Amino acid sequence: MSREIAEQPGALRRLLEEGAPRIRAVAGAIAARRPRFVLLTARGTSDNAALYAKYLLEILHGLPCGLTSMSTTTAYDARPDLTDVLVITVSQSGGSPDLVASTRAARKAGAITLAVTNNPDSALAEAAEHHIDILAGPERALPATKTYTASLLALYLFVEALRGHDGVPAAARLPELAEGILARGGEVRELAGRYRFAERMILTSRGYGYPTVKEAALKLMETSYVPALSYSGADLLHGPLAMVDNVFPVIAVVPDGRGGEALRPVLERLRERGADLVVVGPRKRVAEASAGFVLPTDGVAEEVQPILEILPLQLLAMEVTLARGQDPDAPRSLAKVTETH
């Protein structure tokens, strides 16, 4: 896991230099068919990447989106009319049977199908009409790290190209900034000490940061086995805030932009509750919390900040796991390719 976390700047650079032209070509072919709606299909870590794509498509491109419930097709044999609907299936391996089956069914139902995978030879890549290779290289650790950030960048470049823009300039600094963040592992190790004996924790954000906290919670649960609940800041105020007290650890991802502004009332309520609040975000927000990790967000567009936000949280999941005497490379009961139906 440590090695593959460290490979992320290189994977991002490779995608910008080698993958961007192919992504533009795929986006151009799809844009020519003028999709009227988008459905996103994924599981696990890839589902969090798909949620990020939903924010991009609705905010930047104005296309309405939904997240697919695959069982409607695979278990209930539903056959909706998907004419002129773009169905994007995100999968690291491209091997899960339900993803393949739902993509095939969508294509038969008239959808424009796109697979985003780390395996161009996968069954999913074959099932879809179009394919984007995220070029992350072999990922051997069970917790997905570099395939997540590569998926985010690939989806960002695709959405920008779909609306006729070049996303490379806004993303060009990401590899360098990622290197700087990963070089600060000592700071994360200190933070991990706060959670060595945690029995549960909450993660919260809003806007583009919401997929980040969902992914961070997943990483914490699958490696350290700490129950980690992720909420939109708005949803947190609708009830779950009641369980927060002065010993309850809360991690807030605060985007530098509109999402961060929308989260400010939530942070105020958390401080009123006396929460042990750790902030990942710009310096001014970290200074208001119990502790935190400052992200280099100056001049970085809010829509690509999630690619940086998750990096210290990947390190945190690994460090918490090690501090608890467990092996992040061998989570119990998990396999690299999860075959659901």
Side-chain angles (χ1 to χ4, degrees):
M1 186 178 181
S2 176
R3 182 177 64 250
E4 289 173 355
I5 288 174
E7 289 174 3
Q8 289 175 106
L12 296 174
R13 192 171 285 112
R14 182 165 56 249
L15 193 53
L16 288 168
E17 294 173 355
E18 300 175 21
R22 171 61 181 161
I23 292 172
R24 283 194 294 270
V26 170
I30 292 174
R33 295 174 63 179
R34 302 177 64 84
R36 59 185 175 87
F37 189 83
V38 181
L39 285 173
L40 294 143
T41 305
R43 296 281 192 203
T45 284
S46 294
D47 197 35
N48 299 325
L51 179 58
Y52 168 71
K54 183 177 188 294
Y55 276 87
L56 291 173
L57 285 159
E58 291 187 339
I59 295 170
L60 298 181
H61 196 29
L63 270 177
C65 300
L67 299 175
T68 303
S69 299
M70 276 176 281
S71 61
T72 62
T73 298
T74 60
Y76 292 93
D77 202 33
R79 292 294 180 263
D81 180 3
L82 299 179
T83 304
D84 298 327
V85 173
L86 171 59
V87 173
I88 303 174
T89 307
V90 187
S91 171
Q92 302 154 46
S93 68
S96 187
D98 55 352
L99 294 171
V100 176
S102 63
T103 299
R104 286 175 177 157
R107 193 169 179 179
K108 288 180 181 178
I112 309 159
T113 52
L114 168 65
V116 179
T117 82
N118 196 38
N119 184 1
D121 299 319
S122 63
L124 179 60
E126 182 181 353
E129 183 180 357
H130 302 280
H131 177 254
I132 289 174
D133 185 353
I134 65 172
L135 300 175
E139 188 173 57
R140 295 181 174 86
L142 284 177
T145 53
K146 65 180 182 178
T147 52
Y148 178 69
T149 50
S151 294
L152 296 190
L153 180 55
L155 288 163
Y156 170 72
L157 294 173
F158 169 74
V159 172
E160 284 291 79
L162 190 66
R163 68 192 194 108
H165 290 210
D166 182 1
V168 171
R173 295 175 57 215
L174 292 177
E176 177 188 354
L177 294 173
E179 286 172 346
I181 290 171
L182 295 178
R184 295 161 57 197
E187 295 179 41
V188 177
R189 200 168 298 115
E190 289 184 18
L191 281 178
R194 306 174 76 91
Y195 307 114
R196 182 176 180 183
F197 301 108
E199 296 181 0
R200 57 183 178 173
M201 64 179 72
I202 280 180
L203 296 94
T204 188
S205 188
R206 291 203 68 179
Y208 287 112
Y210 181 43
T212 302
V213 296
K214 288 177 66 67
E215 172 61 11
L218 176 60
K219 284 292 156 286
L220 283 160
M221 288 188 287
E222 69 182 354
T223 57
S224 69
Y225 319 138
V226 176
L229 307 174
S230 57
Y231 293 100
S232 156
D235 287 333
L236 183 62
L237 298 183
H238 281 266
L241 182 70
M243 65 180 167
V244 176
D245 55 28
N246 60 2
V247 296
F248 203 114
V250 179
I251 299 173
V253 172
V254 184
D256 193 1
R258 294 187 184 185
E261 287 302 311
L263 194 63
R264 287 182 69 181
V266 182
L267 300 178
E268 291 171 3
R269 293 290 300 278
L270 288 168
R271 286 193 291 268
E272 289 172 5
R273 297 285 300 166
D276 177 15
L277 178 62
V278 168
V279 164
V280 175
R283 186 175 301 277
K284 59 187 176 183
R285 298 296 171 226
V286 172
E288 300 168 350
S290 306
F293 187 96
V294 176
L295 287 176
T297 55
D298 288 347
V300 180
E302 184 179 357
E303 54 265 28
V304 297
Q305 288 177 27
I307 298 168
L308 303 177
E309 291 164 353
I310 192 60
L311 299 177
L313 296 169
Q314 292 172 344
L315 290 171
L316 183 67
M318 183 181 70
E319 294 293 349
V320 169
T321 303
L322 293 171
R324 293 165 71 95
Q326 293 150 197
D327 183 359
D329 288 337
R332 61 194 182 203
S333 304
L334 295 183
K336 186 59 183 172
V337 179
T338 304
E339 296 191 356
T340 47
H341 295 270

